[in-house]
């Protein structure tokens, strides 16, 4: 259950001077080489332990349905993007702001799930001129106690790293002691790769020590005072009905930070994009086709 923090401190100003370049995949609308896109680009930001490849199918679907290009990003310390010891929402929002500048992306829609949702919210609140609208997927602008599952995942993944596994089946057998759900294990094991082409040994691509130390940061939200920062443009909050990340008692605070927000409930847990992709797609299409 989210725990509201005091609302008096302000978050530090954003700067792109120390931001990292982010890896990405660009999904173009069908026939975009001969026709103009129907709207500005969409940025898709994944959650903790995710990557751009997790959102590949839904990104292609949105590009097709909306005739808008979709950039699926790897946030810092994930996928093919650089690693850095600083892992918090202001730093990740700064990375995204740098990406927008480097790729000349003007006023995009920013969609984020979980960690990506708080990154999108931070960017919108700190630099509203950079963003057209946002879609937050199963997270809220509050300080919360992060689920203990994530700490367990880090321990299990470290055990796999130390075991010198050469097959994903062996890694999965270890991870079963930490997570009973096969889809979640498959999601986490998607981070395995072979760093040495001459060795069959598999390791995790994500820096487990950095992310393990940053779990508290992932529960926090850097902007505390809705009287100091507010996003006056459209915002959609999609929450899973079987998830506790966006409880009813945080809705008033969402409204203070995002006064033009809408709420859509999807029958799913926290991983709602993969659990109920069609309901998620329909909610996104309805919002982006009729944002006001």
């Amino acid at each position: 259950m989210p725990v509201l923090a005091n609302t008096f401190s302000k978050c530090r100003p954003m700067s792109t001077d120390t931001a990292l370049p982010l890896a990405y995949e660009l999904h173009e609308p069908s026939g975009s080489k001969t026709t103009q896109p129907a709207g500005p680009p969409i940025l898709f930001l994944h959650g903790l332990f995710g990557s751009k490849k997790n959102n590949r199918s839904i990104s292609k679907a949105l590009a097709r349905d909306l005739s808008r290009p979709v950039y699926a990003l790897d946030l810092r310390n994930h996928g093919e993007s650089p690693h850095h010891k600083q892992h918090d929402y202001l730093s990740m929002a700064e990375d995204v702001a740098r990406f927008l500048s480097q790729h000349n992306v003007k006023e995009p829609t920013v969609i984020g799930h979980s960690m990506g949702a708080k990154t999108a919210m931070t960017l919108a609140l700190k630099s509203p001129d950079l963003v057209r609208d946002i879609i937050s997927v199963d997270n809220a602008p509050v300080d919360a106690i992060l689920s203990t599952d994530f700490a367990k995942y880090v321990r299990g993944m470290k055990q796999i790293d130390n075991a010198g596994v050469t097959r994903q089946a062996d890694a999965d057998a270890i991870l079963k002691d930490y997570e009973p759900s096969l889809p979640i294990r498959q999601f986490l094991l998607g981070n395995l790769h072979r760093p040495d082409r001459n060795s069959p040994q598999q390791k995790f691509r994500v820096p487990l020590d950095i992310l393990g130390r940053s779990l508290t940061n992932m529960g926090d939200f850097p902007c505390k005072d809705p009287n100091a920062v507010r996003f006056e443009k459209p915002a959609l909050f999609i929450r899973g009905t079987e998830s506790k990340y966006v409880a009813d008692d945080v809705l008033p605070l969402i409204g203070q930070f995002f006064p033009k927000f809408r709420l859509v409930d999807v029958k799913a847990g926290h991983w709602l994009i993969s659990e109920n992709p069609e309901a998620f797609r329909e909610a996104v299409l309805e919002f982006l086709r009729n944002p006001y």
Side-chain angles (χ1 to χ4, degrees), residues 14-51:
M14 279 179 51
S15 169
T16 59
D17 292 345
T18 58
L20 303 179
L22 300 179
Y24 70 96
E25 288 181 350
L26 174 59
H27 304 284
E28 295 276 13
S30 299
S32 62
K33 293 182 180 179
T34 57
T35 60
Q36 284 292 105
I42 296 169
L43 262 62
F44 217 128
L45 312 181
H46 59 79
L48 184 61
F49 301 124
S51 72

Side-chain angles (χ1 to χ4, degrees), residues 85-275:
K85 64 181 180 180
Q86 188 72 22
H87 192 85
D88 56 41
Y89 291 115
L90 278 169
S91 298
M92 285 187 282
E94 289 164 356
D95 294 343
V96 176
R98 171 177 170 164
F99 179 89
L100 297 178
S101 176
Q102 285 186 323
H103 295 273
N104 197 31
V105 175
K106 305 295 185 184
E107 293 189 284
T109 293
V110 184
I111 303 174
H113 170 248
S114 194
M115 178 183 77
K118 281 191 171 180
T119 301
M121 286 184 269
T122 302
L123 177 66
L125 290 171
K126 295 302 295 177
S127 297
D129 292 343
L130 296 180
V131 180
R132 176 177 179 169
D133 43 34
I134 70 163
I135 298 175
S136 170
V137 186
D138 214 51
N139 219 332
V142 297
D143 286 352
I145 299 173
L146 202 66
S147 168
T148 56
D149 289 343
F150 290 102
K152 287 195 302 181
Y153 298 159
V154 171
R155 292 197 298 272
M157 294 161 80
K158 284 185 174 181
Q159 183 176 341
I160 291 169
D161 260 359
N162 293 330
V165 299
T166 58
R167 301 186 309 147
Q168 185 159 319
D170 296 332
D172 184 63
I174 294 172
L175 203 55
K176 279 182 181 178
D177 291 338
Y178 299 88
E179 174 51 57
S181 168
L182 177 60
I184 294 177
R185 295 201 307 272
Q186 290 174 331
F187 165 76
L188 295 170
L189 295 175
N191 288 289
L192 281 175
H193 75 133
R194 287 188 171 87
D196 183 353
R197 293 182 179 180
N198 298 318
S199 171
Q201 186 170 331
Q202 298 187 40
K203 295 282 189 179
F204 281 99
R205 188 186 300 272
V206 293
L208 295 173
D209 285 339
I210 292 174
L211 294 181
R213 291 193 301 268
S214 302
L215 291 179
T216 299
N217 293 340
M218 297 298 91
D220 292 344
F221 187 68
C223 301
K224 314 296 186 185
D225 185 0
N227 294 313
V229 286
R230 188 169 293 140
F231 186 68
E232 303 281 357
K233 300 177 186 179
L236 175 64
F237 282 72
I238 305 176
R239 65 177 177 175
T241 56
E242 299 167 18
S243 172
K244 298 180 179 180
Y245 277 80
V246 187
D248 287 343
D249 59 3
V250 306
L251 298 182
L253 185 61
I254 292 176
Q256 292 177 50
F257 277 118
F258 301 93
K260 295 183 179 179
F261 92 100
R262 297 184 207 169
L263 179 69
V264 171
D265 287 341
V266 168
K267 183 174 176 55
H270 182 59
W271 313 92
L272 69 87
I273 298 175
S274 59
E275 292 177 41

